[in-house]
């Protein structure tokens, strides 16, 4: 069966993030369509084997079933040349990366910023990868800036965070350009934010200047100030 252009867009976006909730796909690719349209498209791609359902995203504070989570199915991996094996479990990390990207897109729609370039799992030589690297234009301020966004689920121990920051600092030392992006850790909870702020306060001063930690809900306002 021949796939439509929007089918390819769904598959490519899913490949980029490895997993996406139906809410992500609907907002990013079907924002001006009835909710029945993405439901039909996703259902058909699952039936044809281009997508597979991994499970449901955990419900919010009010409980209830969360959105279905999708990844490439066998036909989708073959079509797009993806060699990696599918995950048997929902990846909350992948979904939060997508959440962060959606926040940026919402800000773009509101005219707050313009996304010039973005990349998931961007290599930052010599030893780290940014969960989400973005180059942004702030039209109201007449400036551009870039950021390496690290998505934190409150699961990594302090030693791992320090190791990650040290990896970015090695990238700074190897950098030959005049500018190096801020490394911004995005967290969900105030308690985790405070924990990481205490951790960063103990880093060497030059590394402290490089890193920031913000709640998801305050990310866009703070990026406007960096």
């Amino acid at each position: 069966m021949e796939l439509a252009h929007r089918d390819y867009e769904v598959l490519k976006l899913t490949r980029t993030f490895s997993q996406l909730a139906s809410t992500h796909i609907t907002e990013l690719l079907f924002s001006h369509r009835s909710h029945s349209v993405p439901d039909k498209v996703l259902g058909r791609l699952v039936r044809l084997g281009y997508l597979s359902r991994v499970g449901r995203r955990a419900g919010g504070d009010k409980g209830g079933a969360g959105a279905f989570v999708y990844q490439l199915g066998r036909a989708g991996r073959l079509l797009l040349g993806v060699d990696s094996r599918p995950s048997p479990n929902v990846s909350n990390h992948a979904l939060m990366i997508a959440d962060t990207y959606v926040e940026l897109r919402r800000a773009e729609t509101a005219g707050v910023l313009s996304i010039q370039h973005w990349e998931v799992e961007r290599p930052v030589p010599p030893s780290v990868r940014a969960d989400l690297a973005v180059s942004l234009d702030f039209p109201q301020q007449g400036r551009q800036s870039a950021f390496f966004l690290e998505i934190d689920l409150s699961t990594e121990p302090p030693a791992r965070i320090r190791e990650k920051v040290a990896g970015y600092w090695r990238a700074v030392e190897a950098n030959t350009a005049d500018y190096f992006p801020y490394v911004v850790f995005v967290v969900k909870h105030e308690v985790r934010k405070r924990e990481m702020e205490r951790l960063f306060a103990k880093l060497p001063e030059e590394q402290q200047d490089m890193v920031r930690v913000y709640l998801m809900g305050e990310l866009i306002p703070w990026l406007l100030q960096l």
Side-chain angles (χ1 to χ4, degrees), residues 19-25 27 53-61 63-70 89-103 106 151-153 188 216:
Q19 290 186 8
L20 285 174
S22 59
T23 49
H24 295 135
I25 297 170
E27 182 165 352
R53 291 192 180 108
V54 192
R56 286 187 181 271
R57 189 169 197 178
D61 296 335
F68 277 118
V69 176
Y70 295 86
N89 302 310
V90 170
S91 170
N92 290 318
H93 187 251
L95 297 181
M96 191 170 166
I97 294 174
D99 290 340
T100 306
Y101 177 69
V102 167
E103 286 293 315
R106 288 172 180 168
I151 309 308
D152 182 86
L153 295 178
K188 283 188 173 183
M216 175 75 79

Side-chain angles (χ1 to χ4, degrees), residues 39-51:
D39 289 345
K40 290 178 181 177
V41 171
L42 294 173
R44 177 168 50 79
L45 291 174
V46 169
R47 288 194 302 274
L48 294 172
Y50 290 101
L51 288 178

